[in-house]
Short mmCIF file of all heavy atoms in Angstrom, two decimals:
data_model
loop_
_atom_site.label_atom_id
_atom_site.label_comp_id
_atom_site.label_asym_id
_atom_site.label_seq_id
_atom_site.Cartn_x
_atom_site.Cartn_y
_atom_site.Cartn_z
N PHE L 26 18.91 -34.83 -13.64
CA PHE L 26 18.95 -33.80 -12.75
C PHE L 26 18.90 -32.51 -13.52
O PHE L 26 19.80 -32.13 -14.16
CB PHE L 26 20.12 -33.92 -11.79
CG PHE L 26 20.24 -35.16 -11.10
CD1 PHE L 26 21.46 -35.97 -11.17
CD2 PHE L 26 19.18 -35.88 -10.51
CE1 PHE L 26 21.59 -37.20 -10.57
CE2 PHE L 26 19.33 -37.06 -9.88
CZ PHE L 26 20.58 -37.74 -9.88
N LYS L 27 17.86 -31.73 -13.29
CA LYS L 27 17.77 -30.45 -13.91
C LYS L 27 18.44 -29.43 -12.88
O LYS L 27 18.27 -29.52 -11.70
CB LYS L 27 16.30 -29.96 -14.17
CG LYS L 27 15.56 -30.77 -15.18
CD LYS L 27 14.35 -30.27 -15.82
CE LYS L 27 13.27 -30.32 -14.72
NZ LYS L 27 11.93 -29.75 -15.29
N PHE L 28 18.97 -28.42 -13.45
CA PHE L 28 19.72 -27.33 -12.68
C PHE L 28 19.64 -26.03 -13.34
O PHE L 28 19.35 -25.81 -14.55
CB PHE L 28 21.17 -27.84 -12.40
CG PHE L 28 22.01 -28.04 -13.73
CD1 PHE L 28 22.73 -26.92 -14.21
CD2 PHE L 28 22.12 -29.16 -14.34
CE1 PHE L 28 23.50 -27.05 -15.33
CE2 PHE L 28 22.78 -29.30 -15.52
CZ PHE L 28 23.47 -28.26 -15.98
N THR L 29 20.10 -25.03 -12.62
CA THR L 29 20.29 -23.65 -13.14
C THR L 29 21.68 -23.10 -12.82
O THR L 29 22.10 -23.37 -11.68
CB THR L 29 19.25 -22.76 -12.53
OG1 THR L 29 17.87 -23.34 -12.80
CG2 THR L 29 19.24 -21.35 -13.14
N VAL L 30 22.25 -22.56 -13.81
CA VAL L 30 23.56 -21.90 -13.66
C VAL L 30 23.32 -20.31 -13.49
O VAL L 30 22.73 -19.79 -14.27
CB VAL L 30 24.58 -22.12 -14.75
CG1 VAL L 30 25.83 -21.48 -14.56
CG2 VAL L 30 24.67 -23.66 -15.01
N TYR L 31 23.87 -19.86 -12.37
CA TYR L 31 23.71 -18.34 -12.11
C TYR L 31 25.17 -17.75 -12.18
O TYR L 31 26.06 -18.13 -11.52
CB TYR L 31 23.23 -18.23 -10.64
CG TYR L 31 21.85 -18.57 -10.51
CD1 TYR L 31 21.53 -19.83 -9.89
CD2 TYR L 31 20.70 -17.83 -10.86
CE1 TYR L 31 20.34 -20.32 -9.72
CE2 TYR L 31 19.43 -18.26 -10.64
CZ TYR L 31 19.18 -19.57 -10.14
OH TYR L 31 17.93 -19.93 -9.93
N ILE L 32 25.28 -16.84 -13.15
CA ILE L 32 26.56 -16.15 -13.54
C ILE L 32 26.54 -14.82 -12.91
O ILE L 32 25.56 -14.08 -13.08
CB ILE L 32 26.74 -16.19 -15.04
CG1 ILE L 32 26.61 -17.55 -15.69
CG2 ILE L 32 28.12 -15.60 -15.40
CD1 ILE L 32 26.50 -17.52 -17.15
N PRO L 33 27.62 -14.44 -12.23
CA PRO L 33 27.79 -13.11 -11.65
C PRO L 33 27.76 -12.09 -12.70
O PRO L 33 28.27 -12.21 -13.78
CB PRO L 33 29.12 -13.22 -10.80
CG PRO L 33 29.85 -14.29 -11.42
CD PRO L 33 28.90 -15.24 -11.98
N ASP L 34 27.16 -10.90 -12.30
CA ASP L 34 27.06 -9.84 -13.33
C ASP L 34 28.36 -9.13 -13.65
O ASP L 34 28.47 -8.31 -14.57
CB ASP L 34 25.98 -8.79 -12.84
CG ASP L 34 26.38 -8.22 -11.46
OD1 ASP L 34 27.45 -8.62 -10.83
OD2 ASP L 34 25.64 -7.41 -10.93
N ASN L 35 29.46 -9.46 -12.86
CA ASN L 35 30.75 -8.92 -13.25
C ASN L 35 31.61 -9.91 -13.88
O ASN L 35 32.93 -9.89 -13.70
CB ASN L 35 31.40 -8.33 -11.99
CG ASN L 35 31.61 -9.29 -10.88
OD1 ASN L 35 30.96 -10.33 -10.81
ND2 ASN L 35 32.45 -9.05 -9.92
N TYR L 36 31.02 -10.94 -14.44
CA TYR L 36 31.78 -12.07 -15.09
C TYR L 36 32.68 -11.44 -16.22
O TYR L 36 32.16 -10.48 -16.97
CB TYR L 36 30.83 -13.00 -15.54
CG TYR L 36 31.39 -14.25 -16.20
CD1 TYR L 36 31.74 -15.27 -15.36
CD2 TYR L 36 31.80 -14.34 -17.54
CE1 TYR L 36 32.38 -16.43 -15.91
CE2 TYR L 36 32.38 -15.44 -18.16
CZ TYR L 36 32.63 -16.41 -17.39
OH TYR L 36 33.26 -17.57 -17.85
N PRO L 37 33.79 -11.84 -16.42
CA PRO L 37 34.54 -12.93 -15.67
C PRO L 37 35.50 -12.47 -14.68
O PRO L 37 36.35 -13.33 -14.34
CB PRO L 37 35.38 -13.52 -16.86
CG PRO L 37 35.72 -12.46 -17.70
CD PRO L 37 34.53 -11.46 -17.61
N ASP L 38 35.28 -11.41 -14.01
CA ASP L 38 36.15 -10.83 -12.95
C ASP L 38 35.72 -11.19 -11.58
O ASP L 38 36.36 -10.74 -10.55
CB ASP L 38 36.28 -9.38 -13.17
CG ASP L 38 36.95 -9.01 -14.49
OD1 ASP L 38 37.94 -9.79 -14.86
OD2 ASP L 38 36.59 -8.01 -15.12
N GLY L 39 34.49 -11.80 -11.46
CA GLY L 39 33.98 -12.04 -10.08
C GLY L 39 34.29 -13.43 -9.63
O GLY L 39 35.22 -14.12 -9.97
N GLU L 40 33.19 -13.86 -8.88
CA GLU L 40 33.36 -15.28 -8.35
C GLU L 40 32.89 -16.20 -9.57
O GLU L 40 32.38 -15.80 -10.50
CB GLU L 40 32.42 -15.37 -7.17
CG GLU L 40 32.71 -14.53 -5.93
CD GLU L 40 33.98 -14.89 -5.28
OE1 GLU L 40 34.46 -16.12 -5.42
OE2 GLU L 40 34.64 -14.08 -4.72
N CYS L 41 33.04 -17.48 -9.12
CA CYS L 41 32.64 -18.55 -10.14
C CYS L 41 31.11 -18.66 -10.19
O CYS L 41 30.39 -18.30 -9.20
CB CYS L 41 33.25 -19.95 -9.69
SG CYS L 41 32.73 -20.57 -8.18
N PRO L 42 30.65 -19.13 -11.27
CA PRO L 42 29.18 -19.27 -11.39
C PRO L 42 28.71 -20.37 -10.42
O PRO L 42 29.48 -21.22 -9.97
CB PRO L 42 29.03 -19.85 -12.91
CG PRO L 42 30.35 -19.42 -13.66
CD PRO L 42 31.39 -19.39 -12.63
N ARG L 43 27.39 -20.23 -10.12
CA ARG L 43 26.75 -21.14 -9.11
C ARG L 43 25.84 -22.15 -9.79
O ARG L 43 25.20 -21.81 -10.91
CB ARG L 43 25.86 -20.27 -8.11
CG ARG L 43 26.71 -19.43 -7.24
CD ARG L 43 25.80 -18.44 -6.49
NE ARG L 43 24.73 -19.13 -5.90
CZ ARG L 43 23.37 -18.84 -6.00
NH1 ARG L 43 23.06 -17.78 -6.93
NH2 ARG L 43 22.53 -19.40 -5.34
N VAL L 44 25.80 -23.34 -9.29
CA VAL L 44 24.96 -24.37 -9.88
C VAL L 44 24.09 -24.82 -8.80
O VAL L 44 24.38 -25.24 -7.69
CB VAL L 44 25.88 -25.62 -10.33
CG1 VAL L 44 24.92 -26.63 -10.87
CG2 VAL L 44 26.80 -25.23 -11.45
N VAL L 45 22.69 -24.82 -9.11
CA VAL L 45 21.69 -25.04 -8.24
C VAL L 45 20.70 -26.12 -8.89
O VAL L 45 20.09 -25.76 -9.88
CB VAL L 45 20.84 -23.85 -7.78
CG1 VAL L 45 19.83 -24.20 -6.72
CG2 VAL L 45 21.82 -22.77 -7.11
N PHE L 46 20.57 -27.21 -8.25
CA PHE L 46 19.59 -28.23 -8.77
C PHE L 46 18.12 -27.77 -8.39
O PHE L 46 17.98 -27.22 -7.29
CB PHE L 46 20.01 -29.65 -8.25
CG PHE L 46 21.24 -30.12 -8.73
CD1 PHE L 46 22.56 -30.14 -8.06
CD2 PHE L 46 21.38 -30.75 -9.96
CE1 PHE L 46 23.65 -30.64 -8.42
CE2 PHE L 46 22.60 -31.30 -10.41
CZ PHE L 46 23.69 -31.13 -9.74
N ASP L 47 17.25 -28.17 -9.32
CA ASP L 47 15.87 -27.91 -9.05
C ASP L 47 15.37 -28.59 -7.92
O ASP L 47 14.62 -28.00 -7.04
CB ASP L 47 14.99 -28.26 -10.25
CG ASP L 47 15.37 -27.34 -11.48
OD1 ASP L 47 16.20 -26.37 -11.33
OD2 ASP L 47 14.58 -27.45 -12.44
N ILE L 48 15.74 -29.83 -7.75
CA ILE L 48 15.43 -30.68 -6.54
C ILE L 48 16.69 -31.12 -5.94
O ILE L 48 17.59 -31.73 -6.66
CB ILE L 48 14.55 -31.90 -7.01
CG1 ILE L 48 13.22 -31.39 -7.53
CG2 ILE L 48 14.26 -32.81 -5.73
CD1 ILE L 48 12.33 -32.56 -7.97
N PRO L 49 16.98 -30.86 -4.64
CA PRO L 49 18.20 -31.19 -3.90
C PRO L 49 18.47 -32.75 -4.13
O PRO L 49 17.59 -33.52 -3.72
CB PRO L 49 18.00 -30.84 -2.57
CG PRO L 49 17.03 -29.72 -2.58
CD PRO L 49 16.08 -30.11 -3.70
N VAL L 50 19.62 -33.04 -4.68
CA VAL L 50 20.12 -34.50 -4.84
C VAL L 50 20.85 -34.89 -3.65
O VAL L 50 21.61 -34.09 -3.01
CB VAL L 50 20.95 -34.52 -6.05
CG1 VAL L 50 21.29 -36.08 -6.35
CG2 VAL L 50 20.37 -33.92 -7.31
N PHE L 51 20.54 -36.22 -3.16
CA PHE L 51 21.26 -36.60 -2.05
C PHE L 51 22.73 -36.87 -2.37
O PHE L 51 22.95 -37.91 -3.03
CB PHE L 51 20.53 -38.01 -1.52
CG PHE L 51 21.17 -38.35 -0.21
CD1 PHE L 51 20.84 -37.82 1.06
CD2 PHE L 51 22.01 -39.56 -0.17
CE1 PHE L 51 21.27 -38.35 2.24
CE2 PHE L 51 22.47 -40.02 1.01
CZ PHE L 51 22.13 -39.45 2.21
N HIS L 52 23.52 -35.94 -2.00
CA HIS L 52 24.97 -36.01 -2.41
C HIS L 52 25.76 -35.16 -1.37
O HIS L 52 25.26 -34.16 -0.86
CB HIS L 52 25.19 -35.47 -3.79
CG HIS L 52 26.47 -35.69 -4.29
ND1 HIS L 52 27.66 -34.91 -4.00
CD2 HIS L 52 27.03 -36.64 -5.28
CE1 HIS L 52 28.69 -35.45 -4.67
NE2 HIS L 52 28.33 -36.36 -5.36
N PRO L 53 27.00 -35.74 -1.01
CA PRO L 53 27.74 -34.99 0.01
C PRO L 53 28.02 -33.44 -0.38
O PRO L 53 28.21 -32.56 0.49
CB PRO L 53 29.12 -35.80 0.08
CG PRO L 53 28.70 -37.12 -0.35
CD PRO L 53 27.68 -36.94 -1.35
N LEU L 54 28.15 -33.24 -1.61
CA LEU L 54 28.51 -31.79 -2.07
C LEU L 54 27.30 -30.99 -2.58
O LEU L 54 27.42 -29.92 -3.08
CB LEU L 54 29.44 -31.90 -3.21
CG LEU L 54 30.88 -32.65 -2.93
CD1 LEU L 54 31.74 -32.59 -4.21
CD2 LEU L 54 31.45 -32.19 -1.69
N VAL L 55 26.10 -31.54 -2.25
CA VAL L 55 24.89 -30.73 -2.66
C VAL L 55 24.14 -30.33 -1.34
O VAL L 55 23.89 -31.17 -0.46
CB VAL L 55 24.03 -31.55 -3.54
CG1 VAL L 55 22.60 -30.79 -3.84
CG2 VAL L 55 24.79 -31.94 -4.82
N ASP L 56 23.85 -29.04 -1.22
CA ASP L 56 23.02 -28.54 -0.11
C ASP L 56 21.73 -29.20 0.04
O ASP L 56 21.00 -29.09 -1.02
CB ASP L 56 22.94 -27.11 -0.10
CG ASP L 56 22.56 -26.47 1.24
OD1 ASP L 56 21.29 -26.74 1.54
OD2 ASP L 56 23.25 -25.86 2.02
N PRO L 57 21.35 -29.86 1.04
CA PRO L 57 20.05 -30.61 1.20
C PRO L 57 18.86 -29.66 1.17
O PRO L 57 17.72 -30.14 0.90
CB PRO L 57 20.17 -31.40 2.42
CG PRO L 57 21.11 -30.63 3.32
CD PRO L 57 22.13 -30.04 2.34
N VAL L 58 19.13 -28.36 1.45
CA VAL L 58 17.90 -27.44 1.44
C VAL L 58 17.84 -26.65 0.25
O VAL L 58 16.79 -26.60 -0.44
CB VAL L 58 18.13 -26.53 2.74
CG1 VAL L 58 17.01 -25.52 2.77
CG2 VAL L 58 18.04 -27.31 4.04
N SER L 59 18.90 -26.01 -0.11
CA SER L 59 18.90 -25.11 -1.30
C SER L 59 19.13 -25.86 -2.63
O SER L 59 18.76 -25.38 -3.71
CB SER L 59 19.97 -23.99 -1.18
OG SER L 59 21.27 -24.60 -1.13
N GLY L 60 19.78 -27.05 -2.59
CA GLY L 60 20.13 -27.71 -3.81
C GLY L 60 21.41 -27.16 -4.53
O GLY L 60 21.64 -27.75 -5.68
N GLU L 61 22.10 -26.38 -3.81
CA GLU L 61 23.28 -25.66 -4.50
C GLU L 61 24.49 -26.66 -4.45
O GLU L 61 24.77 -27.15 -3.40
CB GLU L 61 23.68 -24.39 -3.97
CG GLU L 61 24.88 -23.66 -4.50
CD GLU L 61 25.06 -22.34 -4.14
OE1 GLU L 61 24.28 -21.80 -3.38
OE2 GLU L 61 26.11 -21.66 -4.50
#
């Protein structure tokens, strides 16, 4: 599973980094549309 990590520009004082899969994986914790 390939993915991309998006880090907020105010790191490390902002929100946690985001993980988005290139292709949405069938998983309860993965958004079926965005793959996040």
Side-chain angles (χ1 to χ4, degrees):
F26 307 128
K27 293 194 291 184
F28 62 90
T29 305
V30 179
Y31 295 95
I32 305 170
D34 56 2
N35 60 342
Y36 185 87
D38 297 321
E40 299 292 335
C41 62
R43 298 166 49 234
V44 175
V45 181
F46 291 99
D47 290 9
I48 298 178
V50 186
F51 187 77
H52 190 285
L54 303 185
V55 177
D56 189 289
V58 178
S59 65
E61 182 171 356

